[in-house]
Structures are given as C-alpha cells and as structure tokens.
Amino acid sequence: MNSATPARTVDAQRLQTLIGEIFSAEGVPAADAARIAECLVLADLRGVASHGVSRLSIYLERLRRGMVERVPEYRVSEPTPVAALLDGGNGLGFLTATRAMDMAAERAGQFGIGMVGVKNSNHFGMAACYLLQAVEAGYAALVFTNASPAMPVWGGREPFLGTSPFAFGAPGTPPIILDMATSVVARGKIRRAAAAGEPIPEGWALDKDGNPTTDAQAGYDGLILPLGGPKGSGLSLMMEVMAGVMTGAAFGGEVRNQYERFDAPQNVGHMMVAFKPGVFMGADYRERMGELVSRAKASTPVHADQPVLMPGEPEALRAEERRRSGISLGAADLEMIANEARTVGVDASAYI
C-alpha cells in the first residue's frame, strides 16, 4: 500500500479486527483493544467519520508519548448508593466511558437510576457508542462530556468552551439516539476538511480575528460557532458544570487539546446517567413509546420520498447498510492505518 492507494470499500468486521490487533500490539489488553476498535468502527458505520478510524494515529501517538495509560489504575468512590465517581487513571476515554456506563446501569438496575461522574479521562469518541451500550441493556441514558476549548462563551471572542455533545438515548422501535454537538458542526468535521484541503460552509467558524471564514484550517485555528448562538453556548456551559466542575476534572478552558498538547494528560470529564425507562409507567412505557414514534412518523413529510425518521434512525439505517456493503475509506486513511499496523508489526493486508 502506498500514497497512490485509491479510496476503496472495506469489510467492517475485518477493519474492526485489524484496529483491535493494532491496539493490542501497542500494549493495550486484548479485551480493551477490542472495545476501542468497536467504538471507532461503529462511528464510521453510522456515518460519523470525524470520530472513526481516521483518529487512530492520535490515540496511538498519545499512548506512545506516555500521555495516556495503556493499563490505567481505576479508583471509585461512592458518595451515595445511586452515584459514584470514577477516576479514570488517565486511561483511554473509550474504556473509561464504557466502564462508567456499566456502573451507572448497574445502579439503575437496583435503584431505578444511576449516575457516574468521571475525571482523569481522555477523548471518548462518539457519545452514541455509550447511549447504545445503555439502550441495548434496556436503559435510557444521558451522556455528557467536556472538551478542549474551541467555541467562545456567548459574548466572548476567545476559545473557552468545548464542542461537547448533548446525548440522550431511550429504548424503543426504533430507539431514540440523540447525539449532537453543541456547536454548529462537530470540530472533527472541520479538522477533516482542513486535512483534505477542502473548504467549509460559511457559518461554521470564524478565523482568529473573528471574521467569518470558509477556510477549514483558519476555522480550526480560530473559533467554531455555537449551535443556535447563546443556546449552544449555554448547553456547552452545562457540560462544563456536569462533566468538569462536578467531577473534579479539568474545566473552564483547562481540557488540553489532544492534537496539540503533549506536555500533560487531558483530564477530560464525563457524566453518565442511566435509568429504567419504565420507572414511572412500568410495562406501559413500551406501548407509550411506540405510540409516540407512530404519531411522529405519521407527520406529513416535507418531501414525499423522504419519510420522517427518529433521532439516530438515519445513522442506524446507514450502519445496517454498511455492515452489508462495507465502509468506504479514502487513500489517506488507508495509508495511515497500514503505516500504524506496520509500526507495531501487524500485516494490514491480511485484513483490508
């Protein structure tokens, strides 16, 4: 494989196996490596390429530089029966977030609701990964995290807030999976556009001088705009409170950018909340949820050939199709994956 490698479609399961083998060869325990690979490939399956395998190199680089622990030492404190605080031991965010959601779900199973705050973690990829973890176990969930500064607080002109996602999931047919950035667009999309030398739409970002820009690199280096102006800024500020202030993690502009800061750990904070969806309505929840979805889908569509879909449904349909037909990866991503595999002694050609 070389720089002339064309874009092509690869089998999702084989890609996931390869990514897991790479992390395992880098010293991450096999089960943990498999979970990281599952989260990364799931993002590509659902069409969230900004949080998929394209980020492989930065996670590996931070491991190699000692900025993230391969085998973290977790610590748990339990101030109440339904709430716990997980010190992630500077482990990979995928693993810390997965553990935290398991802990929240365990408490929800016993008490109806469980809440787990996390400190000393790192970037955890796509928030929907942990919503699906909860929903597949039968729970509704909220997933919050903070992130490195990229957006201004409303009325300001310096990066202060992260493009932190607001994420909610609830069991149903289909399940509701709402995973949205509090910025106009996820920062990863601007980063990918900059790497590809492509422009971005006007209204996504400002340059360092506060001017609107369609230059992706200028936007990435400048300010990403909050969703709905003060509304997105307010939601991101809520993430700082929930995931940063309340947990003991970094907050208020202190979370380090994983691509730029290699002098210290990120200390990202998360907050996972899981609860029994029928805690008030019992078995009636499923019937009522089905009725809600039916009523919503009965709405007259704007375009006759585009039916009304629930949050997360387009991504689920896309994932289903890509599991059958494969994931399209560009030449740069294919070459990057092959290089990382080669570095740790894994033959990528055996998988993709």
Side-chain angles (χ1 to χ4, degrees), residues 96-345:
T96 309
T98 297
R99 180 176 291 244
M101 183 56 79
D102 278 341
M103 292 169 58
E106 179 183 358
R107 285 158 178 77
Q110 186 173 358
F111 301 108
I113 188 169
M115 183 175 185
V116 178
V118 179
K119 63 180 180 178
N120 291 330
S121 186
N122 289 278
H123 188 269
F124 70 8
M126 179 182 70
C129 189
Y130 316 106
L131 295 178
L132 290 166
Q133 176 187 344
V135 166
E136 288 166 6
Y139 298 99
L142 290 162
V143 173
F144 300 146
T145 188
N146 61 2
S148 59
M151 289 194 311
V153 66
W154 191 247
R157 58 172 296 172
E158 295 86 27
F160 181 75
L161 299 169
T163 58
S164 309
F166 182 93
F168 166 75
T173 308
I176 303 297
I177 301 292
L178 174 64
D179 177 5
M180 65 178 202
T182 48
S183 53
V184 171
V185 66
R187 194 182 194 192
K189 290 187 178 181
I190 297 180
R191 182 184 61 81
R192 281 179 65 82
E198 298 171 349
I200 57 174
E202 190 168 342
W204 279 17
L206 306 177
D207 64 20
K208 287 183 177 179
D209 297 320
N211 301 310
T213 184
T214 59
D215 183 302
Q217 189 61 55
Y220 186 81
D221 293 336
L223 289 170
I224 299 174
L225 293 172
L227 175 69
K231 297 178 182 179
S233 175
L235 285 171
S236 184
L237 195 63
M238 182 183 82
M239 305 307 165
E240 289 295 330
V241 175
M242 294 287 291
V245 174
M246 288 186 179
T247 64
F251 68 94
E254 294 178 339
V255 175
R256 296 171 179 88
N257 187 313
Q258 66 175 345
Y259 287 93
E260 300 170 4
R261 296 287 301 275
F262 295 96
D263 56 327
Q266 283 192 284
N267 192 14
V268 177
H270 317 309
M271 184 68 76
M272 306 289 177
V273 183
F275 50 99
K276 289 181 179 178
V279 68
F280 302 116
M281 302 304 300
D284 288 345
Y285 164 80
R286 284 284 181 177
E287 181 179 349
R288 290 169 63 84
M289 188 66 171
E291 183 64 23
L292 171 65
V293 171
S294 294
R295 292 180 192 177
K297 284 178 165 287
S299 300
T300 303
V302 174
H303 303 289
D305 61 340
Q306 297 178 16
V308 174
L309 299 176
M310 296 296 96
E313 193 174 6
E315 293 85 353
L317 292 170
R318 188 177 297 117
E320 183 179 337
E321 190 278 327
R322 289 182 177 180
R323 288 190 191 281
R324 292 193 303 267
S325 62
I327 296 171
S328 179
L329 292 179
D333 286 339
L334 287 166
E335 184 67 16
M336 176 272 293
I337 294 169
N339 287 338
E340 293 294 356
R342 192 177 302 115
T343 297
V344 295

Side-chain angles (χ1 to χ4, degrees), residues 44-66:
D44 283 302
L45 283 167
R46 292 176 67 84
V48 190
S50 59
H51 289 61
V53 297
S54 66
R55 291 194 182 227
L56 173 64
S57 284
I58 191 58
Y59 298 125
L60 293 170
E61 182 176 1
R62 292 191 71 82
L63 283 170
R64 291 163 185 160
R65 291 193 181 210

